[in-house]
Amino acid sequence: MNSRGLVLALILAPMLLLGAQQLWRAGGTQPLLPGLDPDQVARLELRRGEARVLLARGPDGGWIIPSAADAPADPARIAMALDRLEDLRGRPVAAGAAADAREPLTIRLSGADGQLLGEADFWTTEAEARPGGERLTIAKPPALPLWPSAWSRLEAPRVPADRIAAVEELTPDGPKLLPPDATVEVARMLADLTAKDFVAGADVNWGGARLLRVKLTDGATIDLQQVPDGDGRYHLRLTSDTLDSVRAARRYAFRVAEPLPEHP
């Protein structure tokens, strides 16, 4: 072999090795959702039992979460999931193998015209296209979380502690000023507020909510509503007639670990 042929062989060897590895890995496997084109997907629905997350392209082409008060979705996170679903392959489950009896997570993919592009059920290590697909063993199932904050780029409104002048509890007998230590507690809670595990405010029963009014140094006010979330934490909603950043977040309920303080 001359030097030119040797150089060419050295260049092609890694490419041939990579191709052989890919063929070996794909051997005996089949795609879960053959023909899926991520660019055509305009709507994703994930559900298990009563839990449901709906992702869709909005009027401007960006992604939103209609199941969570149209919160802004993270397009990079969605693109990653769609690419993973497009490439997902598995091996047919062995005949006679015990079926996973747990309720599956179902994902449904639709186009802009509502046409069904793909639907599948996922268990821990298995998946099956619907309807009538073959049940496959999946080595690395995609992450398909069933809570909106995992898909969103929503941010909680920021309320710096040094802007809070006073906090009142709104009671049937009128507003009652909270002591300084309670004001500090509320200021810390608002300063640490995040959008992790947020939900649509309309999905929360606000009956019997604890009500506080936060007064800022510039005269603006923020009203707080809080109720237990049923899992040991609390839903917190913020509203304001004067602060745009807070008013934009009034559709959402944020989760916090501690209850709002009460007037002694």
Side-chain angles (χ1 to χ4, degrees):
M1 180 183 294
N2 58 33
S3 59
R4 184 175 181 180
L6 179 61
V7 171
L8 182 60
L10 291 173
I11 293 175
L12 292 176
M15 299 173 62
L16 292 173
L17 178 60
L18 178 60
Q21 289 175 337
Q22 290 177 336
L23 286 173
W24 180 82
R25 289 170 182 165
T29 66
Q30 61 190 59
L32 176 68
L33 297 170
L36 176 64
D37 182 355
D39 292 336
Q40 298 301 313
V41 176
R43 180 183 174 101
L44 296 83
E45 181 181 1
L46 300 97
R47 65 182 185 275
R48 179 190 286 126
E50 295 184 359
R52 175 175 176 266
V53 173
L54 179 61
L55 310 168
R57 291 192 183 275
D60 62 354
W63 286 95
I64 59 174
I65 310 179
S67 60
D70 291 343
D74 182 352
R77 177 70 178 81
I78 295 173
M80 184 183 305
L82 290 175
D83 288 344
R84 182 78 178 92
L85 290 167
E86 179 189 20
D87 296 337
L88 196 59
R89 303 179 68 89
R91 299 178 186 276
V93 174
D100 192 330
R102 287 170 293 186
E103 186 173 16
L105 181 149
T106 299
I107 182 169
R108 182 181 177 90
L109 310 171
S110 306
D113 57 358
Q115 178 185 6
L116 179 64
L117 302 179
E119 186 172 12
D121 288 337
F122 285 86
W123 294 267
T124 305
T125 58
E126 297 178 0
E128 182 179 320
R130 299 174 53 162
E134 189 167 8
R135 192 145 172 161
L136 305 177
T137 297
I138 306 296
K140 294 182 179 179
L144 300 170
L146 264 172
W147 53 94
S149 64
W151 299 94
S152 181
R153 52 184 176 82
L154 178 70
E155 295 184 0
R158 310 311 304 165
V159 184
D162 59 5
R163 290 190 60 193
I164 296 179
V167 179
E168 297 174 335
E169 181 177 3
L170 304 181
T171 75
D173 298 326
K176 296 182 178 180
L177 186 66
L178 296 185
D181 59 334
T183 298
V184 171
E185 186 178 345
V186 172
R188 177 182 53 78
M189 182 182 295
L190 294 180
D192 294 341
L193 194 63
T194 74
K196 184 179 180 181
D197 297 333
F198 80 91
V199 297
D203 292 340
V204 176
N205 180 1
W206 296 99
R210 184 173 298 169
L211 306 176
L212 296 186
R213 174 161 292 162
V214 178
K215 295 185 174 182
L216 305 185
T217 54
D218 60 2
T221 60
I222 300 172
D223 287 346
L224 308 179
Q225 294 175 279
Q226 188 187 66
V227 293
D229 71 349
D231 292 319
R233 293 186 293 171
Y234 300 86
H235 288 302
L236 181 69
R237 180 162 63 180
L238 294 76
T239 60
S240 176
D241 292 333
T242 54
L243 297 174
D244 290 341
S245 61
V246 176
R247 186 164 57 248
R250 69 185 183 276
R251 294 180 296 169
Y252 311 110
F254 302 97
R255 278 194 169 93
V256 295
E258 300 173 359
L260 292 171
E262 297 181 80
H263 187 271

